[in-house]
């Protein structure tokens, strides 16, 4: 299974992705966490020590450093994962696609998008779950290009801007043929907020992750809430999402005549 996590900046993508990876690993699955953000920080939400996250070499930066050019053969994603991935807590394999460090690295954006596509498109998922924490906005969803057998998590917090981007992300995922689109109403208290978010986002399924001080506290310390307070309400909700995902794989395609 491959899961693309999309939504506006600040909506909670990395929080949800990190905790989801840890819960899925705890359920016994092999998990690869792909950090598609050119300002990568999924590692923190996964529970990797901050110093280690900072020393991690994203794929594109590593390829540029060894003189790889567009004329060279495209590296095998499996090889990239082995070479540049990092073993995160819980047995999750973490890989970052690219990091912007200097003005001269401006081509990284395009390059790391390509890496995201390659990882999402080519990495085998027969015996593992790939969770891609995508760059903010919808552009990276187009690059990742999830398909009918993939899952898209559209994360939004209750603000109108966040919900509007989530709505468009859902439309894009539908147009890409994704059959399993789950809206994540993050920091949502339920009631009217949930009704509004559900209607606007338009995803077939909707789950709520409540506002939870444990998330802010963990972020403040640069730690994963999963390690500090796994029984906190948001973590429990993301755990329920993990169980739901593995129990109910993407629906079968409708029969064609
Ligand atoms: N359920 C939640 N309860 C409280 N704070 C949250 C929750 N989800 C996210 N946050 C906070 O919102 C901010 C953005 O979250 P983050 O996961 O980094 O978003 P994104 O990856 O979409 O940019 C962080 O400061 C995080 O601590
Ligand atoms: Mg993020």
């Amino acid at each position: 299974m491959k899961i693309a996590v999309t939504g506006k900046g600040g909506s909670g993508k990395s929080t949800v992705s990190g905790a989801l990876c840890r819960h899925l690993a705890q359920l016994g699955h092999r998990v690869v966490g792909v950090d598609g953000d050119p300002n990568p920080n999924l590692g923190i939400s996964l529970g990797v020590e901050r110093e280690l996250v900072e020393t991690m070499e994203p794929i594109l930066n590593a390829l540029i450093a060894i003189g790889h050019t567009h004329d060279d053969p495209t590296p095998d994603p499996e090889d990239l994962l082995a070479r540049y991935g990092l073993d995160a807590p819980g047995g999750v394999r973490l890989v970052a696609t690219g990091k912007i460090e200097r003005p001269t690295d401006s081509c990284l954006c395009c390059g790391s998008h390509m890496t995201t596509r390659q990882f999402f498109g080519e990495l085998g998922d027969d015996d593992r779950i790939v969770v891609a924490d995508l760059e903010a906005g919808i552009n990276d969803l187009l690059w990742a290009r999830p398909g009918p057998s993939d899952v898209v998590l559209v994360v939004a917090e209750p603000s109108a801007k966040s919900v509007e981007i989530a709505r468009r992300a859902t439309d894009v995922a539908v147009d890409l043929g994704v059959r399993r689109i789950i809206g994540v109403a993050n920091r949502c208290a339920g009631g009217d907020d949930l009704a509004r978010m559900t209607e606007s986002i338009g995803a077939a399924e909707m789950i709520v992750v409540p506002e939870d001080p444990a998330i802010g506290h963990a972020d403040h310390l640069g730690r994963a809430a999963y390690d500090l307070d796994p029984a906190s309400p948001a973590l429990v909700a993301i755990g329920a999402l993990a169980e739901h995902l593995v129990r109910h794989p993407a629906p079968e395609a409708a029969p064609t005549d």
Side-chain angles (χ1 to χ4, degrees), residues 57-77:
E57 197 166 29
I59 291 170
L60 204 79
N61 304 60
L63 292 179
I64 288 172
I66 59 170
H68 186 91
T69 73
H70 288 297
D71 299 329
D72 295 318
T74 312
D76 172 33

Side-chain angles (χ1 to χ4, degrees), residues 168-187:
R168 284 190 287 123
T170 302
D171 289 348
V172 166
V174 167
D175 286 353
L176 289 172
V178 178
R179 292 197 291 265
R180 186 134 205 234
I181 305 168
I182 303 177
V184 179
N186 189 26
R187 316 186 79 162

Side-chain angles (χ1 to χ4, degrees), residues 3 17 21 32-37 42 46 59 81 92-97 115-116 119-120 123 130-134:
I3 304 169
S17 301
C21 285
V32 175
V34 179
D35 194 342
D37 194 330
L42 174 62
L46 265 176
I59 291 170
L81 188 61
V92 177
R93 187 81 179 159
L94 168 67
V95 72
T97 57
T115 314
T116 300
F119 262 67
F120 213 77
L123 205 61
V130 178
V131 178
D133 176 20
L134 299 180

